[in-house]
Amino acid sequence: MLLALAIPAAPALAQDIAPVGDPLEVALTTGPLLPEEVLRSSALTFPAILEAFEREAAARSDQLSADGAFDLMLKGEYYDRLTGFYSGGFGKIEARQPLRPYGAEVFASYRLSDGTFPTYENEFNTNGLGEIKVGALFSLLRNRDIDSRRFAIEDTRLAASQARLDVMLVQLNVQLEALRAYWRWVAAGEEVRVYEELLEIAEARQVGLAREVREGARPAIALTENERNLLSRRTLLEQARRDLDIAANSLSFYLRGSDGRLIVPTREMLPDMARMKAIAPAEQLAATPVSAVIMKRPELQTFRLAIERANNRIALRRNDLAPSLTASVEVSRDFGPIGPGDASFDSTDTVVGLTFTVPLQRREARGRLQRAEAELRETELRQRRIADQIATEVGNILVTLDAAGKLTELARAEVQQANRMVEAERTRFRLGAADFFLVNLREEDAANARIRAIRAERDGRLAEASYNAATMNLTALGLE
């Protein structure tokens, strides 16, 4: 009967509660509220996770944009004289396709002229059916293996992979915090039950003591002492109710309807902690080597991608130091009747060329290279620090989990002993062989033992959640 007493939590504002009707909310509001439902809600609706997905989408868009550097380009050109002695003009259409190997570019064009040109513009002439030209450009030194376009494509690909890992990291952190909020709420509800039971005992005793004082069986001071005890226990209960309300509001941050509006859990949705699935022993969890756990962490995978990006940037900066040597080849042919350009246009022309340039000091390129190398060393050192930090955190979690299991067992044993002492002291009190103050003390000791057991169980649940997040146990975190 004592455990069945329900003390309602502070009412939530109407605008803070998701509307009734959507399937997700129905699952959340038909208690008891289970951790799986909280995890499902946070995974699907928490804004930080949705923001991370949008950042990933933006990174994928950057990747598409970088690919555009190798889009096929079409160019049209028109040239004509409107007045003057010469009447020559031409139209030209050209297609260019950049290629990744050797920084190459191939092109093809068609040009058709009409009218007469001055001697210094003779190259504008074509035969009657026009001129077709095809050609290619190749980089033989600088830009042969990498250039800004190919670097951007690879860099945006790696950045998109990092954004996907960032989504996973955000999901892990959010699900961990959602579990933390859930178990704190459950533990706060259990503590309220303990203090309600403790207060009900004092209230029932107050009725009996008042009758005994009226009958002269006990002195009036006993009634006064119990009234003081009642005030003390009501204070403890109000504090526990306040903590439960705060925990419920904190949990609502992760508990949302499908439209994203907060759902504040009620007292009726509290589960029985004693019936929840047992915590896995620390020895079983520790069977997985820490090194294997660390390798899966998204932070370290992100660092590996960051190092690859840094190496690509170094390669790009070294490319900037190299001299430029560009080779070109083109073949052109005029078709149709010979035009005003004379018989020299009635042939297939093949032209090759080389262009060589080199900056003499190259201070800008050297400075950028040195910066890229320093950034790579910084990233490698940070990777080592984060790996050591994760290993330390995983070790601390296992220690905490092991200690929480032992403390929970000790607390449960303490509760059993305290309950025996309470029953014995109450029996002595009824027989007149015990002091009223001692009875109250035994009851409060038993309640405190139950609170310690609840908190030890809560700490174990929090440590288990932390371990599942650290080891990326996606099933346990509702991310499978």
Side-chain angles (χ1 to χ4, degrees):
M1 178 184 71
L2 297 177
L3 294 177
L5 291 175
I7 303 299
L13 298 177
Q15 63 267 25
D16 294 334
I17 301 178
V20 177
D22 68 72
L24 181 58
E25 186 192 354
V26 171
L28 293 175
T29 54
T30 54
L33 180 63
L34 300 177
E36 294 81 8
E37 295 168 346
V38 175
L39 292 173
R40 178 171 178 265
S41 173
S42 59
L44 294 177
T45 64
F46 195 73
I49 293 178
L50 302 181
E51 291 167 16
F53 276 116
E54 293 302 327
R55 285 195 297 271
E56 183 192 8
R60 298 292 179 192
S61 300
D62 290 340
Q63 187 177 6
L64 177 62
S65 178
D67 288 336
F70 290 89
D71 285 348
L72 176 65
M73 299 296 294
L74 190 64
K75 177 183 177 182
E77 185 178 354
Y78 176 73
Y79 176 89
D80 199 4
R81 283 181 168 84
L82 298 180
T83 62
F85 180 79
Y86 297 102
S87 60
F90 68 86
K92 178 181 177 181
I93 185 168
E94 180 182 65
R96 286 183 173 267
Q97 176 64 65
L99 302 176
R100 298 190 187 186
Y102 290 95
E105 183 177 80
V106 295
F107 61 89
S109 67
Y110 174 76
R111 186 165 57 91
L112 179 63
S113 68
D114 187 31
T116 59
F117 292 89
T119 305
Y120 53 83
E121 290 183 357
N122 189 48
E123 71 272 12
F124 292 164
N125 281 300
T126 67
N127 286 349
L129 295 181
E131 174 201 64
I132 294 178
K133 180 186 292 185
V134 295
L137 300 172
F138 302 93
S139 297
L140 302 180
L141 292 176
R142 185 193 299 174
N143 298 336
R144 184 188 65 180
D145 300 319
I146 188 173
D147 58 22
S148 58
R149 298 173 302 174
R150 283 173 284 174
F151 168 79
I153 289 175
E154 183 65 11
D155 194 61
T156 54
R157 182 188 67 80
L158 295 173
S161 298
Q162 284 183 314
R164 183 67 192 93
L165 291 171
D166 181 62
V167 171
M168 176 58 66
L169 184 59
V170 171
Q171 287 177 318
L172 291 174
N173 291 334
V174 167
Q175 298 301 81
L176 171 59
E177 292 305 318
L179 279 177
R180 287 178 180 272
Y182 174 78
W183 289 117
R184 289 188 179 109
W185 172 69
V186 172
E190 295 287 332
E191 291 186 18
V192 167
R193 292 189 182 110
V194 171
Y195 288 122
E196 284 175 346
E197 183 176 343
L198 191 64
L199 177 61
E200 184 175 330
I201 292 171
E203 288 175 340
R205 182 175 293 131
Q206 184 74 353
V207 175
L209 285 174
R211 183 180 63 252
E212 291 180 1
V213 168
R214 286 196 303 270
E215 294 172 354
R218 291 191 182 275
I221 191 62
L223 191 60
T224 303
E225 172 65 19
N226 196 60
E227 288 174 348
R228 185 204 63 80
N229 195 44
L230 274 172
L231 291 174
S232 175
R233 295 183 181 185
R234 286 190 181 116
T235 299
L236 292 173
L237 177 58
E238 286 304 316
Q239 292 173 344
R241 288 174 177 171
R242 175 204 62 197
D243 293 342
L244 177 60
D245 290 343
I246 291 174
N249 285 331
S250 298
L251 180 56
S252 71
F253 189 53
Y254 303 94
L255 198 61
R256 299 166 183 260
S258 58
D259 59 355
R261 301 184 69 187
L262 306 185
I263 299 175
V264 180
T266 63
R267 175 74 183 277
E268 291 73 19
M269 296 166 65
L270 280 166
D272 185 354
M273 184 181 282
R275 296 183 180 180
M276 305 295 281
K277 181 181 177 181
I279 302 174
E283 297 80 8
Q284 176 182 334
L285 298 177
T288 303
V290 175
S291 58
V293 170
I294 294 175
M295 291 300 293
K296 296 192 301 180
R297 291 291 303 177
E299 299 99 319
L300 298 186
Q301 295 184 55
T302 298
F303 273 116
R304 285 190 284 272
L305 293 174
I307 289 174
E308 188 175 351
R309 293 179 71 183
N311 282 320
N312 289 342
R313 189 170 291 106
I314 289 174
L316 179 64
R317 298 314 176 200
R318 287 176 178 163
N319 173 75
D320 293 340
L321 286 171
S324 173
L325 180 61
T326 304
S328 63
V329 57
E330 62 181 39
V331 179
S332 62
R333 175 71 187 181
D334 282 69
F335 297 90
I338 296 175
D342 69 43
S344 64
F345 282 74
D346 191 25
S347 65
T348 299
D349 297 330
T350 302
V351 180
V352 297
L354 287 174
T355 303
F356 178 81
T357 60
V358 57
L360 295 180
Q361 292 180 297
R362 298 179 293 179
R363 288 179 293 183
E364 180 180 359
R366 287 202 304 270
R368 289 180 176 178
L369 174 59
Q370 291 171 7
R371 179 178 181 83
E373 290 172 340
E375 289 174 347
L376 172 61
R377 292 192 296 270
E378 177 192 3
T379 302
E380 290 172 338
L381 290 171
R382 192 184 306 124
Q383 180 190 35
R384 185 184 309 168
R385 175 175 61 83
I386 296 299
D388 293 342
Q389 180 179 329
I390 293 174
T392 302
E393 289 176 354
V394 172
N396 289 341
I397 291 171
L398 288 173
V399 170
T400 302
L401 192 56
D402 183 58
K406 294 177 180 177
L407 290 173
T408 300
E409 293 301 319
L410 290 172
R412 289 171 179 169
E414 185 183 2
V415 169
Q416 294 177 354
Q417 294 296 332
N419 287 337
R420 293 193 188 99
M421 293 296 296
V422 168
E423 292 303 321
E425 208 63 48
R426 285 173 180 169
T427 301
R428 294 182 64 217
F429 179 74
R430 285 193 298 269
L431 297 176
D435 183 73
F436 175 68
F437 175 79
L438 193 57
V439 173
N440 287 334
L441 185 62
R442 297 297 187 196
E443 290 174 348
E444 291 174 1
D445 285 346
N448 289 334
R450 291 176 62 187
I451 294 297
R452 286 192 290 274
I454 291 169
R455 292 179 179 176
E457 176 79 9
R458 177 201 64 192
D459 292 343
R461 298 288 183 179
L462 296 180
E464 182 184 39
S466 297
Y467 185 82
N468 287 332
T471 57
M472 296 182 62
N473 186 340
L474 302 186
T475 301
L477 295 174
L479 297 174
E480 69 280 4

